Amino acid sequence: MGRDKGPDKGRVMDRVIGRDKKPASPLGVNVGDALPPFVLPVTSTVIVAGAIASRDFMPAHHDSAFARAQGAPDMFMNILTTNGYVSRFVTDWAGPEAMVRKIAIRLGAPAVPGQPLSFSGEIAQVSDEGDERVIEVTIRAANDLGDHATGTVVVSLPLPRPITGSSS
Amino acid sequence: MSKEEVDTVREQLERFIGQPMGAPATAPEAVNVPMIRHWVDALDDRNPVYLDDELAATTRFGGLVAPPAMLQAWTMPRPKIEGIAERGGAPDEMGAENVVTALDQAGYVGTLATNSELEFFRYLRPGDLLQTTNSLESISERKRTGLGLGYFVTWVTRFKTSDEEEVGRQLFRIFKFDPATIGGAS
C-alpha cells in the first residue's frame, strides 16, 4: 500500500472492474444503471499504437509538429482508435457473449497526450428481440478540453435458453 | 465580395449527391489473426473472443472473431508514406474528382470529422475478405460555425464480404470549411 508508481494500466483496470463500485450485471441491467467507469491515460504511445494498428498513417496521429501546424494542440487520436476504446469500454462490462451492433458517436475535443480520457456510460434502453437482449448505452469520453466523443452503443446478449426436454 | 451572397459552390456540388465516391475498394488482405493481435495489444482489449480459440468456441460466435471497431482498418488503403504530409495525410493520391477535392479547390480546405455511426450486422471471422463501396448521402446548405463557413458532407460506406454479404456499414460526416472566414470575416 501507499506505493506510488504513477498511472499504471493494471491498477486502473483493477479500479474499473473493481471492488469499490458494483458493476451492473449485463443481462440484469435497468435503464439508468451506470457502467463501471474507465480512465484511459492517453500518451503519445497510446495514440500511435492505435493509429498504426488501424493502419492509419496520417501524420496528425503520430507527428506533433505536423498536428500543431494544422492548428491542433498536439498529435491526436484517430477515430478508429476512439471507436475501438468505446467498444472495449462497453464489452469490458458486457463480456465475451456481447455483440456490438452499433457505435454512433459525435466527435468533439481531440484526445491528446497527457490528457486522460474518462469513459462513462449509462443504460438508456433495454428490450428483448427474439432470443437476444438488446441494450442501448449512452456513452461519453471526456478530457479537460471537453467531450471527446458522445453517443450511443448498442449491444446484444443471448438470453439464457429455457431448460426444456426434447425439442423434437 | 461576400461568400454569403450567391452559393454557386453548392450548386456545383449537387451532382455528387447520391453518387458513388470512387471505385469499390477491396481489402489488401483477408481478416487475419496477426492484425487482430496487433490491435488487441495496441488497445489492450482483452476480450477473449478475439484471440482465445478455446474460449471463443464456447461463445455464441463459435470461434475467433475480429474486434468490431476494426471494420474500417481492414479496408484502409495501403499508404504511400513518401509525401503523405504534403498530401495532408491522404494515404495516396486522390483519384478522380470528388466532393472533397472540389471543396478544397473552392477554398474550403479545412476538414473536421463530426460524426461516425458504425453498424455491425455480424462479426468478422478470419478469412473474410472485405469490399467497400462509398456513396455520398448529403451535402448541407452552407453553414456558419465557430470554424467559419462550410458544408457538412455525409457519406455511407458499405462493407461486404466476397460473397456479397453486407456485414457492416458506416455513416461518416465531416465539416469542410474555409478557415479564412472564421469569426464572420468574408
Side-chain angles (χ1 to χ4, degrees):
Chain A
M1 53 172 284
R3 282 175 306 166
D4 187 9
K5 297 196 299 184
D8 168 313
K9 252 182 183 165
R11 272 169 54 199
V12 170
M13 285 304 295
D14 280 349
R15 187 151 28 97
V16 168
I17 307 289
R19 351 292 165 189
D20 53 49
K21 173 134 187 165
K22 185 172 75 79
S25 145
L27 269 178
V29 285
N30 295 301
V31 171
D33 287 351
L35 264 61
F38 164 58
V39 178
L40 173 70
V42 178
T43 61
S44 302
T45 306
V46 163
I47 292 167
V48 172
I52 302 309
S54 54
R55 301 184 52 242
D56 185 344
F57 294 87
M58 277 204 173
H61 308 310
H62 61 253
D63 183 338
S64 293
F66 180 92
R68 291 199 180 101
Q70 293 213 320
D74 203 337
M75 70 159 93
F76 54 92
M77 185 178 283
N78 69 337
I79 299 164
L80 281 92
T81 303
T82 298
N83 278 317
Y85 278 106
V86 167
S87 170
R88 176 189 147 187
F89 168 60
V90 174
T91 58
D92 276 354
W93 161 75
E97 289 285 355
M99 179 183 164
V100 178
R101 289 187 175 187
K102 186 172 186 175
I103 304 172
I105 54 172
R106 189 183 147 79
L107 301 151
V112 293
Q115 292 262 354
L117 261 190
S118 296
F119 290 75
S120 55
E122 189 180 301
I123 308 300
Q125 207 173 309
V126 181
S127 61
D128 288 351
E129 279 178 24
D131 53 4
E132 289 183 304
R133 182 148 298 165
V134 179
I135 303 169
E136 187 180 309
V137 187
T138 303
I139 64 97
R140 160 170 294 172
N143 59 20
D144 283 351
L145 303 173
D147 286 339
H148 168 61
T150 53
T152 57
V153 177
V154 178
V155 289
S156 71
L157 284 161
L159 287 167
R161 266 170 292 191
I163 300 160
T164 57
S166 159
S167 58
S168 63
Chain B
M1 203 79 64
S2 168
K3 281 195 170 174
E4 307 272 17
E5 286 156 18
V6 187
D7 194 353
T8 52
V9 172
R10 181 66 179 72
E11 284 166 24
Q12 287 163 25
L13 298 175
E14 196 71 37
R15 68 202 153 101
F16 291 111
I17 297 174
Q19 298 300 309
M21 288 173 73
T26 302
E29 63 268 297
V31 172
N32 63 85
V33 174
M35 273 184 64
I36 294 173
R37 190 188 319 283
H38 188 179
W39 173 280
V40 159
D41 289 343
L43 279 81
D44 199 19
D45 187 338
R46 302 298 161 189
N47 188 335
V49 295
Y50 305 144
L51 287 177
D52 184 337
D53 288 285
E54 281 182 26
L55 192 136
T58 68
T59 66
R60 71 199 305 201
F61 303 109
L64 294 181
V65 286
M70 281 189 80
L71 185 63
Q72 292 166 277
W74 300 114
T75 54
M76 277 284 203
R78 294 177 63 190
K80 193 172 163 190
I81 297 298
E82 189 180 343
I84 194 166
E86 291 70 24
R87 296 192 303 272
D92 206 342
E93 270 87 17
M94 287 286 210
E97 66 156 358
N98 63 57
V99 65
V100 175
T101 52
L103 279 164
D104 283 339
Q105 282 156 16
Y108 296 88
V109 294
T111 305
L112 180 78
T114 63
N115 298 78
S116 160
E117 295 184 15
L118 284 162
E119 287 178 275
F120 311 101
F121 306 131
R122 78 153 164 85
Y123 273 16
L124 299 173
R125 298 180 285 263
D128 284 330
L129 183 63
L130 288 188
Q131 245 200 12
T132 58
T133 52
N134 297 306
S135 67
L136 187 68
E137 289 282 299
S138 63
I139 304 169
S140 71
E141 297 303 311
R142 187 167 52 201
K143 308 257 187 183
R144 175 172 291 286
T145 75
L147 293 168
L149 286 171
Y151 300 87
F152 288 93
V153 179
T154 305
W155 65 86
V156 171
T157 304
R158 288 179 170 78
F159 297 81
K160 290 182 177 175
T161 57
S162 43
D163 48 7
E164 291 290 303
E165 179 189 4
E166 192 179 3
V167 289
R169 198 180 287 182
Q170 183 181 33
L171 178 148
F172 199 70
R173 181 170 302 131
I174 62 173
F175 183 57
K176 283 294 287 174
F177 60 97
D178 178 354
T181 61
I182 196 164
S186 53

